[in-house]
Amino acid sequence: MKKQALGRGFDKIGNGGLADLLGDATKNINENNPSINEISISLIDPNPDQPRTAFDEEALNELSISIAQFGLIQPITVRQTANGRYQIISGERRWRASKLANKETIPAYVRTAGDEDVLFLALTENIQRQDLDPIEIALSYQRLMNECNLTQEALSDKVGKQRSTIANYVRLLKLPDAIQVALRQSKITTGHAKALITVEDANDQTFLLERILTEGLSVRQLEEAANELKAGPKAKKPNKNKPKNNDFVELESKLGSMFNSKVQLSCNEKGAGKLVISFKNDDELQQIIGLFDQLNK
């Protein structure tokens, strides 16, 4: 699924440089204006506080092939540690891909940075990435506030995002673990997550998650189901549709076989009704349209 916005306050991560986001912190780190160095990959260690823990293997392999053919275009950034070794500040994905490409050295900027500066750079670089899932963004915001001792207002000034944006992402971390996992795995959209946040009871949230996964509820359908749960069973509208007789059931089955899809028929007490033919993707829709075209000939 494509990532979707979480409504107001859930805007896309910007494309500005780190200097625009970090202000004085970046100025202090860059004050020596270091040049690019070729450093042995074996002397470089990843940052143990790297916020990103999962790296897409296929994307890494593709990048390693590019690096093997054309070299690394954008240097990584490191700081010097004890015993002549270096620690990555930003660019661990490029470092990993270079190792896969069997490179012995890698171009790198060597910065002077304290532990808090390194953490802030790593987290902020992650927030800028376009392929982060909403939970990764929320965790980065939370860590920036906790480990850099920042309020939402102060963090808003640092990263150039509205406070409501940060607050809405952090709210995702209050969802049950099962929902957070489903969101990270793109089994539900951020629109679904926004609707689930409005449900207070965790059991109800998990119940609605199961309905999304088994019934394929759209965000609008989920919002309606959530409102019904919050209002209670007495508020549910009575079903005015007539019970389906055997003829209806048989017709649904025949049409379903004809269109190779799920078909639903409904009819109210006045005789009005609707016929719904479901499809899962554009290919199935085109097949259904093709059958109608044949019927018109």
Side-chain angles (χ1 to χ4, degrees):
M1 291 184 191
K2 293 182 179 179
K3 293 183 176 65
Q4 300 177 14
L6 276 173
R8 291 185 178 180
F10 285 81
D11 54 354
K12 293 183 179 179
I13 303 304
N15 294 315
L18 286 175
D20 294 335
L21 294 177
L22 301 182
D24 293 339
T26 304
K27 181 179 178 181
N28 292 336
I29 294 171
N30 293 332
E31 61 188 358
N32 294 326
N33 191 25
S35 59
I36 299 174
N37 300 268
E38 282 289 335
I39 299 176
S40 172
I41 286 181
S42 63
L43 294 177
I44 299 174
D45 302 309
N47 180 0
D49 292 323
Q50 159 67 260
R52 182 132 203 183
T53 57
F55 294 86
D56 185 272
E57 292 297 329
E58 183 177 350
L60 273 179
N61 286 328
E62 290 176 356
L63 180 57
S64 70
I65 293 172
S66 173
I67 290 173
Q69 291 179 337
F70 307 109
L72 184 63
I73 298 174
Q74 182 182 1
I76 67 171
T77 303
V78 299
R79 67 169 176 169
Q80 194 162 11
T81 56
N83 301 320
R85 299 191 65 81
Y86 299 86
Q87 185 183 85
I88 296 172
I89 294 177
S90 65
E92 181 172 340
R93 179 172 171 270
R94 281 164 276 155
W95 173 72
R96 287 172 177 261
S98 296
K99 289 178 68 177
L100 286 176
N102 296 319
K103 293 290 185 179
E104 295 183 359
T105 63
I106 188 171
Y109 294 106
V110 181
R111 308 289 193 194
T112 302
D115 291 338
E116 185 172 304
D117 291 330
V118 171
L119 175 64
F120 198 90
L121 277 167
L123 287 167
T124 308
E125 183 194 36
N126 264 10
I127 291 172
Q128 288 181 296
R129 295 178 62 90
Q130 297 296 316
D131 59 346
L132 284 187
D133 64 62
I135 296 300
E136 287 178 310
I137 296 172
L139 288 169
S140 292
Y141 280 138
Q142 188 66 65
R143 285 193 65 187
L144 280 167
M145 289 188 290
N146 291 345
E147 300 182 40
C148 297
N149 195 27
L150 297 171
T151 63
Q152 287 186 359
E153 290 78 5
L155 181 57
S156 172
D157 292 337
K158 281 278 189 180
V159 299
K161 295 293 176 184
Q162 293 184 358
R163 192 200 63 79
S164 59
T165 299
I166 296 169
N168 284 332
Y169 271 112
V170 172
R171 286 176 66 199
L172 295 176
L173 301 179
K174 295 181 180 180
L175 289 168
D177 290 344
I179 297 176
Q180 292 189 38
V181 170
L183 183 56
R184 297 194 72 164
Q185 295 177 346
S186 298
K187 292 181 178 178
I188 63 174
T189 67
T190 48
H192 287 112
K194 177 188 175 184
L196 290 171
I197 287 174
T198 65
V199 179
E200 295 183 0
D201 185 78
N203 291 328
D204 287 343
Q205 291 175 327
T206 304
F207 168 73
L208 289 171
L209 171 65
E210 290 300 321
R211 288 196 59 187
I212 298 170
L213 299 178
T214 58
E215 301 175 33
L217 295 182
S218 67
V219 174
R220 183 181 294 275
Q221 291 171 328
L222 174 61
E223 290 171 344
E224 292 174 354
N227 289 333
E228 287 181 356
L229 274 178
K230 288 184 284 186
K234 293 181 179 179
K236 292 182 179 179
K237 295 181 180 179
N239 185 5
K240 295 183 180 180
N241 290 334
K242 292 194 302 184
K244 294 179 181 178
N245 57 36
N246 291 335
D247 291 338
F248 265 45
V249 174
E250 185 178 354
L251 183 55
E252 279 183 340
S253 178
K254 287 183 178 179
L255 290 174
S257 298
M258 178 187 298
F259 291 106
N260 193 26
S261 182
K262 183 179 179 181
V263 174
Q264 291 178 299
L265 282 170
S266 62
C267 182
N268 62 25
E269 295 175 350
K270 296 181 179 180
K274 61 183 178 180
L275 168 66
V276 179
I277 303 173
S278 302
F279 55 90
K280 295 179 181 179
N281 50 51
D282 188 62
D283 289 338
E284 289 191 3
L285 174 59
Q286 294 303 320
Q287 291 176 5
I288 293 170
I289 293 173
L291 287 172
F292 277 117
D293 288 340
Q294 292 179 15
L295 291 173
N296 284 331
K297 292 180 180 179

